[in-house]
Amino acid sequence: MKIRDDFLWGGATAANQYEGAYLEDGKGLSIADVEMGSCCGVPREIHDCVHEECYYPSHEGVDFYHHYKEDIALFAEMGFKCFRMSVAWSRIFPKGDEESPNEKGLEFYDKVFDELLSYGIEPVVTLSHFETPLYLVSQYGSWRNRKLIDFFIRYCKVIFTRYRDKVKYWLTFNEINETMNKREPYHQAGILFKEGENPADVKILASHNMMVASARAVILGHKINPDFMIGAMFQYPTTYAKTCSPQDILAQRFHMMPNFYYGDVMCRGYYSNTCTAQIRRMGGTLHMEEGDADTLRQGTVDYIAISYYFTSLASAGDGKALDVTRDNPYLKRSAWNWPIDPVGLRIGLNELYDRYQIPLFVVENGLGAVDEVKEDGTIEDDYRIAYLKKHIESLKDAIEIDDVDVIGYTTWGCIDLISVGTGEMKKRYGFIYVDKDDEGKGTLKRSRKKSFGWYKKVIASNGQDTSF
């Protein structure tokens, strides 16, 4: 098998890290808009409202809202076949529970999609990418509350109908599996635990509501346009057993179970034995309402999208809890201490395709690094090129040697944007440099890095020429 001729090469962003204009033209607050910036890699502080004295990186992002024509022209110059982005839910429904959408918000995305299509760039649109309207969190308890399913479907109906002839590729929830993997799944589900709650029950309930919402969105989308391709999106943490001890092999399975939990429901359409075993291991309970099983069965996704950045090691530890680490002695590490493992991408693609046998799409992969702007304005980011080259070659091996069906590859942060974890700008991923610092200062001027020309060559050769 070779890389398909219509392979979707491109880049990926998210509105809350990129778009800015956080209250412009009627947009409401999202959960990202009350996350204060941080420094030195410290997690961001979450507030219940905007504090005027604090710096919130998402308020400006890197201002795609006012630079979209310039940015899309640069993407086109690189030869992008697609551009993954998200629609900010609170730009369409500012509070999330309104009966009617915000027309100004819809008009903005009309302009963005038209601009992309004018260059022949296919939009790949995430419906919920860490941008739940804040009002739905404060007034309804976010995805704990089943009412959010109907609010989400109302939003989807507006978006699917408005853009039925402009967007073919959709994703429902970004990294939905991290709802179970995170200590408190704020980004994924708008959840911070309340006193007295059983975190396991909350995660299971929120996950179920989100997966029912996703299934209903798939069913709805296919009715509106049968040609829609609607996918699930997972953070895929390829994991190895730390040793050949049988207990470590079992630990590796236990660590991966939460991820297959979502895949089994969203791709197979039911709670498998992997799911029920995971619920038991968590000490929680699943409650399904009448009709949910039919909805999940009918609303399976068309493809799986993944983010892939690093791999982990799992061991049995002290026998009471899993011990998971990224300290693999065989791998080099990034400036942010993430192991660099291109082969792990090939392994992960094989694991997913073997299990589900539906097309895969790598929608996030990249290297966060500190870029130095030289006196002449150039940026020699050979380290980024080397990282991406090895990952693309591993992707090609999965396709051409292992016969895995992969439909596209979009690098994360194709243009510099703020970090979701820390709000930093210095952790840069892009082919395009944006003049902005960790304090929000800068001109927002865009400039090409060395990797810009390299990725242009990769795309022009359909991945066959990765030399530099």
Side-chain angles (χ1 to χ4, degrees), residues 17 34 53 180 184 216 288 309 348 363:
Q17 296 166 262
V34 292
E53 71 278 10
M180 197 166 282
E184 288 191 299
R216 285 184 56 185
M288 293 179 64
Y309 296 101
V363 296

Side-chain angles (χ1 to χ4, degrees), residues 265-299:
V265 176
M266 300 177 79
C267 303
R268 292 175 171 174
Y270 61 90
Y271 283 89
S272 66
N273 67 295
T274 296
C275 301
T276 55
Q278 174 64 18
I279 291 168
R280 188 176 299 111
R281 289 186 68 245
M282 292 173 67
T285 305
L286 170 67
H287 297 285
M288 293 179 64
E289 293 197 6
E290 185 177 354
D292 285 355
D294 286 341
T295 298
L296 294 173
R297 185 171 59 254
Q298 295 171 28

Side-chain angles (χ1 to χ4, degrees), residues 67-102:
H67 291 259
Y68 71 91
K69 288 189 175 183
E70 176 186 0
D71 291 353
I72 292 170
L74 288 166
F75 302 156
E77 184 181 336
M78 272 188 282
F80 278 20
K81 306 300 182 184
C82 73
F83 173 55
R84 182 195 172 207
M85 54 175 282
S86 66
V87 169
W89 186 353
S90 64
R91 196 175 291 286
I92 308 305
F93 288 93
K95 291 166 59 178
D97 66 349
E98 298 94 339
E99 293 289 335
S100 301
N102 172 31

Side-chain angles (χ1 to χ4, degrees), residues 309-460:
Y309 296 101
F310 52 78
T311 53
S312 299
L313 300 176
S315 66
D318 60 6
K320 297 178 181 178
L322 290 179
D323 182 16
V324 180
T325 178
R326 298 177 189 167
D327 296 330
N328 190 328
Y330 294 95
L331 301 175
K332 295 181 179 180
R333 305 176 79 82
S334 74
W336 267 259
N337 211 28
W338 290 7
I340 299 173
D341 186 0
V343 176
L345 175 59
R346 178 181 180 181
I347 293 168
L349 292 171
N350 272 276
E351 288 175 345
L352 280 169
Y353 195 63
D354 285 351
R355 190 176 184 102
Y356 299 115
Q357 293 289 296
I358 61 174
L360 307 180
F361 194 160
V362 180
V363 296
E364 289 187 30
N365 175 235
L367 177 70
V370 177
D371 294 329
E372 177 186 352
V373 183
K374 296 186 176 181
E375 289 187 10
D376 64 359
T378 61
I379 300 165
E380 301 285 329
D381 58 339
D382 287 357
Y383 41 85
R384 180 169 294 109
I385 296 173
Y387 175 99
L388 293 172
K389 169 183 166 66
K390 290 178 181 178
H391 282 78
I392 288 171
E393 289 172 350
S394 193
L395 169 76
K396 287 166 56 182
D397 287 343
I399 297 169
E400 297 175 352
I401 299 174
D402 307 329
D403 290 337
V404 175
D405 184 8
V406 184
I407 63 176
Y409 174 86
T410 58
T411 64
W412 175 248
C414 49
I415 180 171
D416 292 344
L417 36 67
I418 62 169
S419 165
V420 71
T422 64
E424 294 171 297
M425 275 299 300
K426 68 180 180 182
K427 185 181 183 183
R428 298 177 183 271
Y429 287 86
F431 305 116
I432 301 164
Y433 185 88
V434 178
D435 179 30
K436 186 178 181 180
D437 64 19
D438 286 347
E439 296 178 347
K441 299 175 183 177
T443 65
L444 297 176
K445 179 183 176 182
R446 274 71 165 150
S447 56
R448 299 165 186 80
K449 303 178 189 179
K450 182 178 179 179
S451 57
F452 183 102
W454 173 81
Y455 195 51
K456 179 178 181 178
K457 179 177 64 175
V458 171
I459 296 173

Side-chain angles (χ1 to χ4, degrees), residues 173-179 210-211 233-234 262 266:
F173 294 93
N174 183 70
E175 295 186 340
I176 188 172
N177 58 317
E178 291 294 271
T179 304
M210 293 166 77
M211 289 191 289
M233 195 285 191
F234 309 134
Y262 296 85
M266 300 177 79

Side-chain angles (χ1 to χ4, degrees), residues 8-11 68-69 71-85 112-125 166-169 410 459:
L8 294 170
W9 295 99
Y68 71 91
K69 288 189 175 183
D71 291 353
I72 292 170
L74 288 166
F75 302 156
E77 184 181 336
M78 272 188 282
F80 278 20
K81 306 300 182 184
C82 73
F83 173 55
R84 182 195 172 207
M85 54 175 282
V112 170
F113 297 146
D114 288 345
E115 193 73 13
L116 288 167
L117 293 171
S118 74
Y119 289 102
I121 300 173
E122 193 88 51
V124 178
V125 178
K166 298 182 179 184
V167 179
K168 176 181 179 180
Y169 295 93
T410 58
I459 296 173

